[in-house]
Amino acid sequence: MSASLKVIKSAALLLGMQVVQRGLGIISTLILARILTPDDFGIIALITIVLQFFELLAEIGNQQYIVQKEILRDSDLNTAWTMDILIKSLVALAVICSAPLLSAFFETPELALALTIATLALPLRALRTPGMMQAVREIDYRPLVSTYPLAKGTIVYCRDHHRLAIPELLGNRSGKPAFCSRVCHRFL
């Protein structure tokens, strides 16, 4: 298959995934707005804002490095994977330690426990296999698209905002699979 055809197919897969992702995001927001009380919806919004901010800080560009590297070795993938886990674990620890301070700042006592539970998503998302980074490098987005419904298809329904943080552990709004990856790399 030529490189241009591969790029076109991959772009179409990514576009389709983005459309599905946005649609599911709108639907889930509407459902949550209908089910939750305004206070609980506010807590979920605060959790989402805090986690997105800290996840942005924890992103160190491993995937971009892997994609741009001319000769890719297993040691490069191992290093990128290990750094991702270590940094996201340290950021998660910082968020857990600062959860009481954030709870006091937002004057929402329930936020501390819910944020602590939802923060476990950061190191769990780092556990995605290096094979995913290699698939992006090879412009093969089929494994990413095939794991997306598994990550997004898990729905937890309850009125307790502490338990509503659990879906954050399974996948995030950007569509990256957490530990639901089915693509396994040979050294894992």
Side-chain angles (χ1 to χ4, degrees):
M1 180 182 321
S2 69
S4 60
L5 185 61
K6 201 173 189 182
V7 168
I8 290 171
K9 283 185 176 183
S10 296
L13 281 173
L14 285 177
L15 178 65
M17 190 170 86
Q18 287 291 327
V19 169
V20 169
Q21 175 186 346
R22 298 292 180 212
L24 287 176
I26 290 170
I27 291 169
S28 66
T29 302
L30 291 174
I31 291 171
L32 281 177
R34 184 79 178 141
I35 292 173
L36 297 176
T37 65
D39 290 341
D40 290 342
F41 192 78
I43 290 172
I44 296 299
L46 286 173
I47 289 171
T48 303
I49 290 168
V50 170
L51 283 183
Q52 291 296 321
F53 174 73
F54 281 105
E55 189 167 16
L56 182 66
L57 291 179
E59 195 59 46
I60 59 172
N62 285 341
Q63 185 162 337
Q64 290 80 7
Y65 173 75
I66 296 297
V67 168
Q68 293 177 3
K69 189 146 170 67
E70 286 188 31
I71 299 172
L72 186 65
R73 295 185 296 261
D74 286 348
S75 61
D76 297 325
L77 290 170
N78 280 332
T79 303
W81 187 73
T82 304
M83 285 178 56
D84 203 27
I85 289 175
L86 288 175
I87 289 173
K88 287 188 177 173
S89 296
L90 288 173
V91 168
L93 186 62
V95 173
I96 290 170
C97 291
S98 65
L101 296 173
L102 289 167
S103 177
F105 177 77
F106 289 116
E107 298 174 355
T108 310
E110 303 88 16
L111 181 63
L113 180 60
L115 187 59
T116 300
I117 293 169
T119 300
L120 297 176
L122 288 174
L124 286 177
R125 283 189 202 132
L127 293 177
R128 69 179 184 266
T129 177
M132 293 293 196
M133 287 189 272
Q134 194 167 14
V136 170
R137 175 187 167 85
E138 295 166 358
I139 313 174
D140 181 17
Y141 292 101
R142 285 177 303 198
L144 298 175
V145 174
S146 65
T147 59
Y148 179 73
L150 181 61
K152 285 296 180 188
T154 308
I155 298 172
V156 175
Y157 170 77
C158 61
R159 291 187 182 269
D160 185 0
H161 55 267
H162 299 300
R163 284 187 234 140
L164 279 171
I166 293 172
E168 192 65 37
L169 298 175
L170 301 174
N172 66 4
R173 290 187 165 278
S174 66
K176 296 178 190 170
F179 52 89
C180 301
S181 168
R182 74 163 215 206
V183 177
C184 295
H185 204 271
R186 64 182 174 279
F187 51 82
L188 286 180

